[in-house]
Amino acid sequence: MKGLEKATKLVRPLGHIIEKTTCASNTSSLTALVSQIFNDIVVKEITLSGSRCGPFRKALEIMENNYDTVHELLSRMVSAVFPLQDIAKAMELASEKGILKVQLQVSS
């Protein structure tokens, strides 16, 4: 839940958050936290989408067996790659019109 809470604080009004996982909590203050998060979502008019995992083994097979094709398709989707320490530059570029995706490289 902390990730979603942080995302709602960081996203701009009319922004879009994609939640890539489900979460469980064993805290009794969950109701208050959910209420706070949903207030932020409503006030900022944020779009919240879920994304489920697909069959990873099959996806990895396809990627391995068709590397060149997959690499070419994916590279067209990424406008730029930045090392993690240049996140400010990456975010600035990502906000520009016409930029599809900006990738952050976590390790070298």
Side-chain angles (χ1 to χ4, degrees):
M1 189 60 78
K2 288 184 180 183
L4 183 57
E5 180 183 13
K6 187 171 186 177
T8 59
K9 298 296 182 200
L10 294 173
V11 69
R12 295 177 182 162
L14 301 177
H16 195 132
I17 297 171
I18 299 173
E19 180 70 18
K20 181 59 178 112
T21 189
T22 56
C23 60
S25 178
N26 49 8
T27 175
S28 60
S29 63
L30 180 62
T31 303
L33 180 59
V34 169
S35 179
Q36 174 192 348
I37 290 170
F38 278 98
N39 282 342
D40 288 342
I41 290 170
V42 171
V43 169
K44 292 171 109 178
E45 298 179 9
I46 298 167
T47 300
L48 176 62
S49 301
S51 177
R52 293 190 44 180
C53 298
F56 278 119
R57 188 176 313 274
K58 183 66 175 171
L60 291 173
E61 283 177 26
I62 291 169
M63 291 172 68
E64 183 177 33
N65 295 331
N66 302 286
Y67 177 81
D68 291 336
T69 303
V70 171
H71 185 268
E72 180 187 344
L73 290 171
L74 293 177
S75 66
R76 282 193 241 154
M77 296 173 67
V78 177
S79 300
V81 179
F82 289 89
L84 185 59
Q85 63 266 23
D86 291 340
I87 191 169
K89 290 179 190 174
M91 296 301 288
E92 185 177 331
L93 180 63
S95 69
E96 292 180 12
K97 187 175 183 172
I99 299 299
L100 185 58
K101 291 184 183 282
V102 175
Q103 179 179 328
L104 290 172
Q105 188 172 11
V106 177
S107 62
S108 55

